[in-house]
Amino acid sequence: MSGAAAAPGASALADPLSAQDAQRFVMGRTFSYTCYEGTVGSGRVLKDGSVAGTIQVRGHGTARYVTLPAGTILVKGEAVCAKLGGLAFQPCFELEKTGATSFRGNLAGASRLWCEFKRGGSGRARLAERGTNATRTARADQVSDQH
């Protein structure tokens, strides 16, 4: 059974994303997400493989802002994987584009363990995005002040 059939509401026309396609589609953009067991949030994967965003585990309690260091999300051959301390293995993911601004990811070999991602997001993930833009603006202001 494919991931498209396992995820409720998933498009039957999902297109697999190669690791390189996933980088172009995902890197630097903010996505909101919902996972099979109710976890929700939003966040961004930056070009260095770091992650910044929010998570509300199983949809209960307060959403928490989290960051993961550079190199957390990485490409290994044709796979997109995560390097997480404390795990005895390195999880890799199967990614499928489900729309112009959405994709689904599931743990490789476990199509029932999925999350749906849609461009956009809110809260602290947007603040992280604005923080990057603010740094660029501040640098540009410093350069223009010198001239």
Side-chain angles (χ1 to χ4, degrees), residues 74-76 79-82 89-95 106-110:
L74 57 124
V75 172
K76 286 182 84 176
V80 175
C81 303
F89 69 102
Q90 190 171 63
C92 293
F93 307 94
E94 296 168 351
L95 304 176
N106 59 277
L107 189 61

Side-chain angles (χ1 to χ4, degrees), residues 83-130:
K83 184 177 179 183
L84 301 168
L87 288 183
F89 69 102
Q90 190 171 63
C92 293
F93 307 94
E94 296 168 351
L95 304 176
E96 297 177 311
K97 189 173 179 180
T98 56
T101 59
S102 61
F103 72 98
R104 178 182 42 259
N106 59 277
L107 189 61
S111 63
R112 289 184 277 164
L113 306 178
W114 54 265
C115 294
E116 294 281 339
F117 297 83
K118 294 181 183 172
R119 266 198 207 138
S122 60
R124 295 185 103 175
R126 287 284 191 204
L127 291 175
E129 185 175 1
R130 278 184 251 149

Side-chain angles (χ1 to χ4, degrees), residues 2-133:
S2 76
S11 168
L13 302 174
D15 293 321
L17 285 170
S18 71
Q20 289 71 31
D21 290 340
Q23 282 182 310
R24 285 188 292 274
F25 190 72
V26 174
M27 293 293 189
R29 295 187 172 113
T30 302
F31 287 85
S32 59
Y33 63 90
T34 302
C35 299
Y36 71 98
E37 42 45 275
T39 295
V40 296
S42 63
R44 290 190 326 146
V45 178
L46 303 174
K47 290 183 181 190
D48 65 0
S50 62
V51 179
T54 62
I55 186 168
Q56 186 178 26
V57 178
R58 295 190 178 117
H60 300 293
T62 303
R64 297 179 183 258
Y65 180 71
V66 296
T67 59
L68 300 171
T72 297
I73 304 296
L74 57 124
V75 172
K76 286 182 84 176
E78 279 302 309
V80 175
C81 303
K83 184 177 179 183
L84 301 168
L87 288 183
F89 69 102
Q90 190 171 63
C92 293
F93 307 94
E94 296 168 351
L95 304 176
E96 297 177 311
K97 189 173 179 180
T98 56
T101 59
S102 61
F103 72 98
R104 178 182 42 259
N106 59 277
L107 189 61
S111 63
R112 289 184 277 164
L113 306 178
W114 54 265
C115 294
E116 294 281 339
F117 297 83
K118 294 181 183 172
R119 266 198 207 138
S122 60
R124 295 185 103 175
R126 287 284 191 204
L127 291 175
E129 185 175 1
R130 278 184 251 149
T132 301
N133 292 336

